[in-house]
Amino acid sequence: MSPNDQEVRPRMRRNKKLLDELTARFPAGMVSVSDSVLMENSRDFGQLAEEPMMPLAVVFPTKVGQVQELMQLASEHRLSVISRGAGTGVSGAVHVTDEAIILNLSKMNRIIEIRPQDEVAVVEPGVINHHLNLAVSEFGLMYAPDPASYKMSTIGGNIATNAGGLRCAKYGVTRESVLGLDVVLADGSLIHVGKNTFKGVAGYDLTALFTGSEGTLGVIVRAVLRLRYLPVDERDVALVFEDLEVAVEGVQRIAKARIQPAILELIDHATMKVLDAQYGTAHAGSGGAMLLVRLDGYGAEQEEAVLRETFKNDSVRLSESGDESATALIEMRRTSRGDAKDDAYRTGEDVAVPKSLMVEYVHRVQQAARQEQVQLRLISHAGDGNLHPTFYVDPSDGPNPLERLDRAVQESVRIALEMGGTITGEHGVGLIKKDWLPWEQSSQVIELQQKIKGLLDPMNILNPGKAI
């Protein structure tokens, strides 16, 4: 028997015992070892060089007590657990890299309570973002965070990754809408953090700690969410500029005019061509870049008037008031990062810089792409300085295409950091950006986070190897 066989066979026996125990302790149908289910739950949309491993099993709880029981079992066996929702993230945060059980929370999908007078909703983690918005719209309310995947991503996943989205310009990221959480810890114990009110400063802000922790500190099983008023008016305007850098300067002009868009998105010419090919439109022929603006609330009409006044003597072309094509463009923008998922020859980035330095960032990242002879597309949640450059290269175009692509991507991140920005504006660290975290954070800060992880998860069984 080889040394490898000596290791593998006891592990196989252990895993079989564990699977037998899982199926014995939980209701029929809650535990799956189907090849297709294992494959589907082995990863998110993040593109990594190494393919993920298959999990040992996927567990679909429907009750908090079942999550607690699973974590108790995992602690007894010292087995890793990766909690997940729809898997729409792009950071590799739920990729399986070692033996693990997947805790899929999609069936814990109840909207427990809507309190319209308090402007609060209480939900389970598997509730789809869009479904919550449909439910609360009956009361004239909305849940503000709206990541591009809002029609399929879950609230639990949005909280675990502190998801962003188009409405961040006015309403902030997911963290600004999370008031309280119920969390199952690694040992199976259940805690409640946060509050049921908008204001409250008792103790440390543990709700913010769990929000964005990518499943490494606990399993979110219930959330108290802040709702906002559904706007009484919305005005969508598309602005077409001669080139990209002038469009970015337009972002500052909108800010100086004291206009507060709910949505403020930037699309470059290369992305406009992608949209034209995808939707059969002809926007690329109209100019070199676009800003897409949504104004909402009682002041929307007045803000639209100020917006038009701000650009009236420029070569900028604005869509007509009430033009539905501007609204259509905003929806097209949600899927405009590329014409397909990233692969070995195409990589999309997610950085954020101070808004005042966006023009400089765009200029320098274009220089980096030219220097490495790679192609560049760029879109941005321009209202909060979150940029998504996508680099791509033809594998037959010049020597060492992957090396050139990698250098361009890394340079785009370094430029953001030099400007006081961050390696990730909204997608999270996961696996893909873990090696870059020391570029942004000091060793002392990383060590402190590791100590927090060790306190809450001393055996390191919650999504190990991710985020920090």
PDB file of all heavy atoms in Angstrom, residues 175-191:
ATOM      1  N   ARG A 175     -24.423  47.233   3.645  1.00  0.00           N
ATOM      2  CA  ARG A 175     -24.219  47.486   5.078  1.00  0.00           C
ATOM      3  C   ARG A 175     -25.127  48.595   5.600  1.00  0.00           C
ATOM      4  O   ARG A 175     -25.596  48.538   6.747  1.00  0.00           O
ATOM      5  CB  ARG A 175     -22.752  47.845   5.327  1.00  0.00           C
ATOM      6  CG  ARG A 175     -22.436  48.118   6.804  1.00  0.00           C
ATOM      7  CD  ARG A 175     -20.960  48.390   7.028  1.00  0.00           C
ATOM      8  NE  ARG A 175     -20.196  47.145   6.969  1.00  0.00           N
ATOM      9  CZ  ARG A 175     -19.249  46.883   6.076  1.00  0.00           C
ATOM     10  NH1 ARG A 175     -18.954  47.785   5.145  1.00  0.00           N
ATOM     11  NH2 ARG A 175     -18.597  45.742   6.099  1.00  0.00           N
ATOM     12  N   GLU A 176     -25.393  49.600   4.771  1.00  0.00           N
ATOM     13  CA  GLU A 176     -26.220  50.731   5.217  1.00  0.00           C
ATOM     14  C   GLU A 176     -27.692  50.354   5.389  1.00  0.00           C
ATOM     15  O   GLU A 176     -28.471  51.155   5.916  1.00  0.00           O
ATOM     16  CB  GLU A 176     -26.114  51.891   4.226  1.00  0.00           C
ATOM     17  CG  GLU A 176     -24.909  52.785   4.429  1.00  0.00           C
ATOM     18  CD  GLU A 176     -23.590  52.095   4.110  1.00  0.00           C
ATOM     19  OE1 GLU A 176     -23.394  51.676   2.962  1.00  0.00           O
ATOM     20  OE2 GLU A 176     -22.759  51.967   5.031  1.00  0.00           O
ATOM     21  N   SER A 177     -28.072  49.161   4.959  1.00  0.00           N
ATOM     22  CA  SER A 177     -29.470  48.737   5.068  1.00  0.00           C
ATOM     23  C   SER A 177     -29.663  47.547   6.001  1.00  0.00           C
ATOM     24  O   SER A 177     -30.760  47.001   6.086  1.00  0.00           O
ATOM     25  CB  SER A 177     -30.019  48.378   3.674  1.00  0.00           C
ATOM     26  OG  SER A 177     -30.096  49.524   2.846  1.00  0.00           O
ATOM     27  N   VAL A 178     -28.611  47.139   6.707  1.00  0.00           N
ATOM     28  CA  VAL A 178     -28.699  46.006   7.634  1.00  0.00           C
ATOM     29  C   VAL A 178     -28.687  46.531   9.062  1.00  0.00           C
ATOM     30  O   VAL A 178     -27.711  47.141   9.504  1.00  0.00           O
ATOM     31  CB  VAL A 178     -27.540  45.015   7.421  1.00  0.00           C
ATOM     32  CG1 VAL A 178     -27.659  43.838   8.396  1.00  0.00           C
ATOM     33  CG2 VAL A 178     -27.531  44.504   5.985  1.00  0.00           C
ATOM     34  N   LEU A 179     -29.777  46.291   9.790  1.00  0.00           N
ATOM     35  CA  LEU A 179     -29.903  46.763  11.158  1.00  0.00           C
ATOM     36  C   LEU A 179     -29.507  45.717  12.179  1.00  0.00           C
ATOM     37  O   LEU A 179     -28.915  46.031  13.212  1.00  0.00           O
ATOM     38  CB  LEU A 179     -31.341  47.206  11.425  1.00  0.00           C
ATOM     39  CG  LEU A 179     -31.886  48.327  10.529  1.00  0.00           C
ATOM     40  CD1 LEU A 179     -33.363  48.556  10.817  1.00  0.00           C
ATOM     41  CD2 LEU A 179     -31.094  49.604  10.721  1.00  0.00           C
ATOM     42  N   GLY A 180     -29.855  44.463  11.920  1.00  0.00           N
ATOM     43  CA  GLY A 180     -29.558  43.398  12.876  1.00  0.00           C
ATOM     44  C   GLY A 180     -29.477  42.056  12.190  1.00  0.00           C
ATOM     45  O   GLY A 180     -30.009  41.870  11.083  1.00  0.00           O
ATOM     46  N   LEU A 181     -28.811  41.107  12.838  1.00  0.00           N
ATOM     47  CA  LEU A 181     -28.621  39.771  12.272  1.00  0.00           C
ATOM     48  C   LEU A 181     -28.740  38.708  13.358  1.00  0.00           C
ATOM     49  O   LEU A 181     -28.309  38.915  14.495  1.00  0.00           O
ATOM     50  CB  LEU A 181     -27.226  39.643  11.637  1.00  0.00           C
ATOM     51  CG  LEU A 181     -26.892  40.541  10.437  1.00  0.00           C
ATOM     52  CD1 LEU A 181     -25.404  40.441  10.117  1.00  0.00           C
ATOM     53  CD2 LEU A 181     -27.732  40.146   9.228  1.00  0.00           C
ATOM     54  N   ASP A 182     -29.315  37.565  12.974  1.00  0.00           N
ATOM     55  CA  ASP A 182     -29.176  36.335  13.756  1.00  0.00           C
ATOM     56  C   ASP A 182     -28.098  35.506  13.075  1.00  0.00           C
ATOM     57  O   ASP A 182     -28.154  35.299  11.852  1.00  0.00           O
ATOM     58  CB  ASP A 182     -30.479  35.545  13.792  1.00  0.00           C
ATOM     59  CG  ASP A 182     -31.522  36.164  14.710  1.00  0.00           C
ATOM     60  OD1 ASP A 182     -31.239  37.235  15.294  1.00  0.00           O
ATOM     61  OD2 ASP A 182     -32.624  35.595  14.824  1.00  0.00           O
ATOM     62  N   VAL A 183     -27.125  35.053  13.856  1.00  0.00           N
ATOM     63  CA  VAL A 183     -25.970  34.356  13.299  1.00  0.00           C
ATOM     64  C   VAL A 183     -25.717  33.075  14.075  1.00  0.00           C
ATOM     65  O   VAL A 183     -25.679  33.090  15.316  1.00  0.00           O
ATOM     66  CB  VAL A 183     -24.705  35.248  13.362  1.00  0.00           C
ATOM     67  CG1 VAL A 183     -23.512  34.531  12.724  1.00  0.00           C
ATOM     68  CG2 VAL A 183     -24.947  36.585  12.670  1.00  0.00           C
ATOM     69  N   VAL A 184     -25.539  31.973  13.352  1.00  0.00           N
ATOM     70  CA  VAL A 184     -25.111  30.713  13.952  1.00  0.00           C
ATOM     71  C   VAL A 184     -23.589  30.663  13.882  1.00  0.00           C
ATOM     72  O   VAL A 184     -23.004  30.784  12.805  1.00  0.00           O
ATOM     73  CB  VAL A 184     -25.727  29.501  13.230  1.00  0.00           C
ATOM     74  CG1 VAL A 184     -25.149  28.199  13.787  1.00  0.00           C
ATOM     75  CG2 VAL A 184     -27.250  29.508  13.375  1.00  0.00           C
ATOM     76  N   LEU A 185     -22.966  30.497  15.025  1.00  0.00           N
ATOM     77  CA  LEU A 185     -21.510  30.462  15.095  1.00  0.00           C
ATOM     78  C   LEU A 185     -20.978  29.063  14.786  1.00  0.00           C
ATOM     79  O   LEU A 185     -21.744  28.108  14.618  1.00  0.00           O
ATOM     80  CB  LEU A 185     -21.041  30.930  16.468  1.00  0.00           C
ATOM     81  CG  LEU A 185     -21.447  32.357  16.853  1.00  0.00           C
ATOM     82  CD1 LEU A 185     -20.925  32.700  18.248  1.00  0.00           C
ATOM     83  CD2 LEU A 185     -20.938  33.360  15.829  1.00  0.00           C
ATOM     84  N   ALA A 186     -19.679  28.932  14.748  1.00  0.00           N
ATOM     85  CA  ALA A 186     -19.041  27.681  14.333  1.00  0.00           C
ATOM     86  C   ALA A 186     -19.417  26.504  15.237  1.00  0.00           C
ATOM     87  O   ALA A 186     -19.496  25.359  14.782  1.00  0.00           O
ATOM     88  CB  ALA A 186     -17.526  27.860  14.292  1.00  0.00           C
ATOM     89  N   ASP A 187     -19.665  26.772  16.519  1.00  0.00           N
ATOM     90  CA  ASP A 187     -19.996  25.689  17.445  1.00  0.00           C
ATOM     91  C   ASP A 187     -21.487  25.373  17.475  1.00  0.00           C
ATOM     92  O   ASP A 187     -21.938  24.536  18.264  1.00  0.00           O
ATOM     93  CB  ASP A 187     -19.502  26.019  18.852  1.00  0.00           C
ATOM     94  CG  ASP A 187     -20.170  27.271  19.440  1.00  0.00           C
ATOM     95  OD1 ASP A 187     -21.033  27.872  18.755  1.00  0.00           O
ATOM     96  OD2 ASP A 187     -19.828  27.646  20.583  1.00  0.00           O
ATOM     97  N   GLY A 188     -22.272  26.067  16.638  1.00  0.00           N
ATOM     98  CA  GLY A 188     -23.707  25.815  16.584  1.00  0.00           C
ATOM     99  C   GLY A 188     -24.533  26.742  17.449  1.00  0.00           C
ATOM    100  O   GLY A 188     -25.774  26.685  17.415  1.00  0.00           O
ATOM    101  N   SER A 189     -23.894  27.594  18.234  1.00  0.00           N
ATOM    102  CA  SER A 189     -24.656  28.522  19.081  1.00  0.00           C
ATOM    103  C   SER A 189     -25.254  29.633  18.218  1.00  0.00           C
ATOM    104  O   SER A 189     -24.721  29.992  17.165  1.00  0.00           O
ATOM    105  CB  SER A 189     -23.762  29.117  20.170  1.00  0.00           C
ATOM    106  OG  SER A 189     -22.645  29.778  19.600  1.00  0.00           O
ATOM    107  N   LEU A 190     -26.382  30.173  18.690  1.00  0.00           N
ATOM    108  CA  LEU A 190     -27.114  31.206  17.954  1.00  0.00           C
ATOM    109  C   LEU A 190     -27.020  32.520  18.709  1.00  0.00           C
ATOM    110  O   LEU A 190     -27.305  32.580  19.906  1.00  0.00           O
ATOM    111  CB  LEU A 190     -28.574  30.789  17.802  1.00  0.00           C
ATOM    112  CG  LEU A 190     -29.522  31.791  17.135  1.00  0.00           C
ATOM    113  CD1 LEU A 190     -29.161  31.995  15.671  1.00  0.00           C
ATOM    114  CD2 LEU A 190     -30.980  31.322  17.267  1.00  0.00           C
ATOM    115  N   ILE A 191     -26.618  33.586  18.016  1.00  0.00           N
ATOM    116  CA  ILE A 191     -26.557  34.899  18.647  1.00  0.00           C
ATOM    117  C   ILE A 191     -27.356  35.897  17.812  1.00  0.00           C
ATOM    118  O   ILE A 191     -27.576  35.694  16.614  1.00  0.00           O
ATOM    119  CB  ILE A 191     -25.106  35.401  18.799  1.00  0.00           C
ATOM    120  CG1 ILE A 191     -24.438  35.586  17.419  1.00  0.00           C
ATOM    121  CG2 ILE A 191     -24.292  34.476  19.686  1.00  0.00           C
ATOM    122  CD1 ILE A 191     -23.098  36.308  17.478  1.00  0.00           C
TER     123      ILE A 191
END
